[in-house]
Amino acid sequence: MSRAEVPIISLDGVVKSFGAVRALQGVDLACRKGECIGLVGHNGAGKSTLMNLLAGVFSAEGRIALDGVDTADRYSVAVAQAHGIRCVFQELSLCPNLTVAENARIMHASLKGIGWRKRAGALIIAQLDLVFPGHGISAGDVVGDLPIARRQMVEIARAFTVTAAAARLVILDEPTSSLDAHQAGQLLAFVRRFVAEGGCVVLISHLLGEILSTADRVVVMKDGRVVAERPAAEFTRASLVAAMGTVAREEAGRGEATVRRSGSPRVRVAAERRAGGIEFTAHQGEIVGLAGLGGQGQSEMLVRIFDAARRADRDIDVSGGVALVAGDRQTDGVFPLWSIAENITIASLARLRRGFLIDRAKTSAMAETWKARIAIRTPDVDNPILSLSGGNQQKALFARALGSTAETVLMDDPMRGVDIGTKQEVYDMIRSEAAGGRTFLWYTTEMDELRHCDHVYVFRDQHIVADLSRGELTEEKILHASFAEVA
Amino acid sequence: MSDAASPPSPLRRLMARPWLWAYVAAFAVFIVTILFTGGRSGGEVATAAFTFATFSVIVGIGQMFVVTLGPGNVDLSIPATITLAGAVATKIMDTQDGMILVGLLVALACGAAVGIFNYGLIILLRIPPIIATLSSSFLVQSTAIAYGRGIRIKPPPALADFTTSQVFGMPVLAICVILLAAVMEVVLRRTLYGRWVTAIGQNIRAARLAGVPVGRTRFAAYMMSAVFAGLCGYLLSGFSGGSSLSMGEEYLLTSIALVVIGGSSVAGGNSNVPGLWGAALFLFLVVTMLNTYGFGAGLRYLATGAIIIAVIVAASRRRTAR
């Protein structure tokens, strides 16, 4: 394998923006035959964008060359597939209502005519036998009936099956997230065999041990750039973590010691009944952070606490009312047919009545007050909520929660799509409300936001794995806890 | 209301109402109908329209609250509930004037029982509402058949008199149901319950996370729909001289048509009560008009379908333009 060999695909100064967000700001990457590239980085570092770009899902500015030939703007999913570039997405892409064989057929147009189902079944099962010996899956199984691990195995094996076009470059996004240690080991061993036979694999994983043991070369991304690229042998776990994070910044800020953790908590979630389970508590006037990588159970915890405030839960004690600020506005927050005022007041209507009826004067007054307090940019609060920009819709959701009488406010990564100016306004508001005795539970994946917290719990794989007070809080510690591995 | 900033003209505001088109259509059809007779039987046509629209509006209100809950929510058990309530009430009243109130309570209780049963199927067995209410309608209809054995019992004379009485050509029952509709419009717009229903219809997950008691609200809507169906069955059996096993039949599609033609969103979350009256009058008058002009049965169905489509298209154009 000479280094001079022409890469299967190479990116040169590739830039990708989504609206005002620059997801990739000039990335160079070359994928060559016979190597496994480990791709690591924080949430939002641009890994998924890069992967979608390689697979031809997104177009981008910059130069993309296939086998040394510049594809200019003609790069697409079809071109990628014709060149043997395959992708295994994190959100599994199998059709749950079809069988394993039928799902295999979707990728292979050449399997047609009488008996295609049988041939497709044989193809996928042979591949499964190769990657995951003893997998226990049969071609006739309906995918929706398979447990998540087996679905992931089918998805992975399918990406390596060959009919018309060879599989030359396979991109695996968090391929082991649903697999157990044994299956993960089978997969990584297969990746090494595939690479040894001249294939190329891009492996994206949060499990650094996997990356270090399997990849030849490690690419570290941060804020849409490649910040480090070296042979895997030159990295250690610690140096990899350090490469991903910012160098621990001066975190003086508001460094006053927090000694308010006393009295009975507003929210208490009993420790899990397993070794090392950590109890979750939040007291009056505290801002408590829920940290870790995205989707490690933080949102689920907030929803459980929200429900527990209404219906008894034997593991969760909540005193006082609870309101939630949704981060996923469209799914969890906004009522699209309503006005801004109606969206703000929905959680407070019980106090805005005269007799049985909702008092328009009172609802308008509340909406106007919050429009002013949180600077919602609209000429009239009776305008439809959808007339607002995303950030201003988010402010309306903040107004809904902060304007309610709830003693505890749960925030589910609420700053998505919010510009920096608004963020500062909202941070100030949260701090002053907390000083006034309100409790905030704040799920965020951003280190800068965690610095506003009095206490931080780090989540990994649906469990709390670390409990850090403000004094102990560093980015290093959070990253270490987020990536810690079952050895 | 202080609309100091940009006061939209009253006409403009009226034009933006989604229910307007049902009334415009009803009025147009009414004019075309009485043109045929040279204006002579206008009063009678109007009286008949209000009389028959009354019953469909009663069930339409319940159906509307259910539909407002969002996609997939519909009550198909209305006809069976009408039949059961009518059969049970007339048998219990047994033509005795003194039993009128008891009969009413029994009819409402029949509705309540069906409502509880429907929601039980939806929640406990996790059956989609459309299937749950359809299957319960078979059970309810069978119960009505077993109970009444198809024997037609006359209603108490006082009930029959009340349901057919008029003041100045206006059916008394219609006046009562106009008041009922007004109350339900206030419930929809100005009470917590109305807001909750509307919120759930737009985004059920967001509603839950905004603290709306989703389960109770949905239960109440299915309950209300069934209780109104019970009320309709009771009044209808008084009006038409006793209950029959097919008395509810036409109200299934009618109740849904009223909701749609009245300008409420089939997808939920955006409803209005006034449109139900406009739509009910319109539906009756269309049939009357086609009859007046001597259309045969086949052509009549064809024309009814075409006119309904035209009205819905016109109304939805208005709304998207807004």
Side-chain angles (χ1 to χ4, degrees):
Chain A
M1 289 177 287
S2 79
R3 281 270 141 188
E5 195 180 351
V6 177
I8 298 172
I9 184 165
S10 67
L11 309 181
D12 214 343
V14 167
V15 174
K16 175 72 190 171
S17 305
F18 297 101
V21 181
R22 299 192 80 191
L24 294 181
Q25 349 200 5
V27 169
D28 302 336
L29 183 72
C31 305
R32 294 186 180 81
K33 284 183 194 164
E35 69 170 344
C36 174
I37 302 169
L39 185 57
V40 296
H42 236 319
N43 279 88
K47 303 188 300 288
S48 294
T49 310
L50 182 62
M51 166 178 174
N52 278 298
L53 223 124
L54 289 172
V57 178
F58 297 152
S59 61
E61 299 160 44
R63 191 169 169 277
I64 301 178
L66 283 172
D67 296 314
V69 182
D70 191 352
T71 58
D73 303 326
R74 288 167 288 105
Y75 194 52
S76 68
V77 176
V79 175
Q81 279 176 353
H83 276 79
I85 297 174
R86 311 275 181 82
C87 231
V88 176
F89 292 97
Q90 205 173 348
E91 300 86 21
L92 304 182
S93 64
L94 300 172
C95 302
N97 56 330
L98 300 182
T99 63
V100 171
E102 286 159 351
N103 269 290
R105 163 65 182 75
I106 293 172
M107 262 187 54
H108 297 287
S110 59
L111 290 171
K112 54 191 166 200
I114 296 165
W116 63 264
R117 205 177 256 108
K118 199 168 176 189
R119 278 179 283 135
L123 177 73
I124 185 76
I125 294 299
Q127 193 66 44
L128 275 165
D129 289 341
L130 214 53
V131 187
F132 301 105
H135 50 78
I137 300 165
S138 63
D141 291 344
V142 173
V143 165
D145 298 338
L146 294 175
I148 178 90
R150 290 190 174 176
R151 262 182 282 164
Q152 191 159 23
M153 288 155 73
V154 172
E155 175 103 26
I156 293 167
R158 186 177 72 159
F160 287 98
T161 53
V162 173
T163 51
R168 300 167 67 211
L169 166 61
V170 178
I171 306 159
L172 300 169
D173 189 2
E174 295 287 343
T176 57
S177 59
S178 312
L179 301 181
D180 64 29
H182 174 62
Q183 294 155 344
Q186 289 180 326
L187 171 64
L188 298 176
F190 177 80
V191 165
R192 288 313 311 170
R193 292 206 299 279
F194 179 75
V195 168
E197 288 161 14
C200 177
V201 169
V202 175
L203 178 64
I204 302 175
S205 178
H206 285 308
L207 300 176
L208 302 183
E210 258 174 40
I211 296 283
L212 291 172
S213 68
T214 311
D216 300 299
R217 187 156 62 100
V218 178
V219 173
V220 182
M221 290 191 73
K222 181 167 184 298
D223 300 334
R225 294 176 202 281
V226 173
V227 292
E229 182 176 355
R230 267 180 275 163
E234 294 178 20
F235 275 113
T236 62
R237 259 189 67 86
S239 67
L240 203 49
V241 168
M244 276 192 287
T246 36
V247 182
R249 245 176 292 180
E250 200 54 51
E251 50 207 39
R254 44 196 290 264
E256 76 270 34
T258 47
V259 281
R260 283 181 299 186
R261 297 214 142 220
S262 57
S264 66
R266 277 260 173 78
V267 177
R268 194 184 68 81
V269 182
E272 289 174 282
R273 281 170 288 274
R274 63 182 190 104
I278 295 172
E279 186 186 62
F280 179 101
T281 56
H283 295 76
Q284 179 176 346
E286 277 183 337
I287 304 174
V288 175
L290 284 72
L293 300 167
Q296 301 294 307
Q298 299 97 330
S299 298
E300 289 81 354
M301 170 76 93
L302 291 180
V303 170
R304 276 181 64 203
I305 292 170
F306 184 84
D307 287 340
R310 282 158 183 77
R311 195 169 28 192
D313 184 319
R314 74 197 157 100
D315 290 333
I316 303 179
D317 299 320
V318 180
S319 68
V322 167
L324 183 132
V325 184
D328 187 349
R329 286 189 286 284
Q330 307 318 332
T331 316
D332 296 348
V334 162
F335 297 106
L337 302 175
W338 271 354
S339 70
I340 301 160
E342 285 168 316
N343 266 285
I344 290 176
T345 54
I346 176 70
S348 309
L349 289 174
R351 340 180 243 112
L352 303 174
R353 287 183 297 180
R354 197 168 47 199
F356 273 116
L357 300 184
I358 295 165
D359 187 333
R360 290 213 181 105
K362 289 182 186 169
T363 54
S364 310
M366 177 184 171
E368 288 294 344
T369 307
W370 280 96
K371 178 193 158 185
R373 266 194 79 180
I374 205 165
I376 298 173
R377 288 178 192 94
T378 180
D380 187 349
V381 288
D382 289 325
N383 283 344
I385 184 88
L386 295 185
S387 69
L388 296 178
S389 69
N392 278 291
Q393 288 180 28
Q394 195 67 44
K395 286 189 198 173
L397 297 187
F398 267 109
R400 182 193 290 170
L402 297 177
S404 74
T405 52
E407 285 92 345
T408 305
V409 175
L410 313 177
M411 303 191 290
D412 183 6
D413 204 357
M415 300 294 184
R416 293 179 207 174
V418 176
D419 61 84
I420 184 73
T422 305
K423 279 183 184 174
Q424 292 305 336
E425 290 164 29
V426 175
Y427 295 156
D428 292 345
M429 198 167 289
I430 289 170
R431 272 204 298 267
S432 70
E433 291 273 332
R438 253 200 176 142
T439 303
F440 287 85
L441 270 54
W442 189 352
Y443 161 38
T444 174
T445 48
E446 297 206 18
M447 190 58 209
D448 290 343
E449 296 186 345
L450 291 174
R451 292 184 213 284
H452 294 279
C453 298
D454 299 305
H455 207 90
V456 170
Y457 292 94
V458 183
F459 283 67
R460 190 183 72 238
D461 199 16
Q462 322 297 322
H463 302 298
I464 298 175
V465 292
D467 172 0
L468 305 169
S469 69
R470 185 209 298 284
E472 306 169 294
L473 183 65
T474 64
E475 182 159 18
E476 227 98 24
K477 277 192 180 147
I478 289 184
L479 279 176
H480 265 294
S482 303
F483 287 100
E485 245 163 284
V486 202
Chain B
M1 289 270 83
S2 59
D3 284 318
S6 59
S9 72
L11 183 67
R12 175 82 47 96
R13 286 237 299 265
L14 181 70
M15 292 292 281
R17 300 286 179 222
W19 43 260
L20 180 72
W21 290 90
Y23 285 92
V24 170
F27 190 69
V29 170
F30 177 69
I31 296 295
V32 173
T33 309
I34 58 171
L35 277 181
F36 185 83
T37 58
R40 275 187 306 271
S41 56
E44 288 156 42
V45 171
T47 302
F50 273 101
T51 306
F52 287 96
T54 299
F55 298 105
S56 33
V57 169
I58 296 174
V59 289
I61 293 171
Q63 185 74 278
M64 187 208 72
F65 272 91
V66 170
V67 168
T68 310
L69 289 173
N73 285 289
V74 66
D75 185 354
L76 300 186
S77 68
I78 285 176
T81 311
I82 290 175
T83 308
L84 178 70
V88 175
T90 44
K91 192 161 174 183
I92 296 238
M93 290 187 290
D94 195 22
T95 74
Q96 305 293 307
D97 278 351
M99 294 293 281
I100 285 182
L101 204 61
V102 178
L104 174 64
L105 293 178
V106 166
L108 297 182
C110 283
V114 176
I116 292 169
F117 185 67
N118 280 343
Y119 195 69
L121 289 180
I122 294 169
I123 282 301
L124 300 178
L125 304 184
R126 298 174 182 281
I127 304 177
I130 193 165
I131 305 297
T133 54
L134 180 67
S135 46
S136 90
S137 86
F138 289 120
L139 298 177
V140 172
Q141 183 78 20
S142 310
T143 312
I145 293 170
Y147 184 84
R149 294 175 195 287
I151 303 162
R152 195 178 185 97
I153 306 168
K154 280 197 175 308
L159 179 62
D161 289 346
F162 171 74
T163 50
T164 50
S165 64
Q166 300 176 0
V167 285
F168 304 115
M170 187 69 178
V172 172
L173 209 51
I175 297 171
C176 296
V177 173
I178 288 172
L179 290 176
L180 175 69
V183 170
M184 295 317 288
E185 171 75 358
V186 171
V187 168
L188 181 66
R189 301 257 165 250
R190 298 285 304 277
T191 65
L192 276 182
Y193 180 74
R195 288 287 176 95
W196 288 343
V197 171
T198 322
I200 292 170
Q202 293 177 65
N203 187 338
I204 188 165
R205 188 172 155 79
R208 179 166 81 89
L209 295 176
V212 172
V214 172
R216 271 193 286 146
T217 306
R218 295 182 73 205
F219 172 63
Y222 279 93
M223 190 78 170
M224 196 194 312
S225 178
V227 167
F228 277 140
L231 176 66
C232 180
Y234 171 78
L235 295 171
L236 204 53
S237 62
F239 174 79
S240 54
S243 68
S244 72
L245 290 177
S246 61
M247 66 195 274
E249 254 172 30
E250 63 175 296
Y251 290 97
L252 175 56
L253 292 180
T254 307
S255 66
I256 298 170
L258 293 200
V259 175
V260 178
I261 299 173
S264 300
S265 164
V266 204
N270 181 17
S271 294
N272 73 85
V273 179
L276 297 175
W277 261 110
L281 293 172
F282 167 70
L283 277 183
F284 179 82
L285 288 168
V286 165
V287 176
T288 311
M289 174 185 78
L290 298 172
N291 276 332
T292 314
Y293 281 83
F295 280 67
L299 212 49
R300 206 164 64 216
Y301 281 123
L302 206 67
T304 311
I307 293 171
I308 290 174
I309 291 170
V311 169
I312 291 175
V313 169
S316 60
R317 282 268 165 74
R318 274 302 319 162
R319 249 173 293 156
T320 48
R322 185 161 64 104

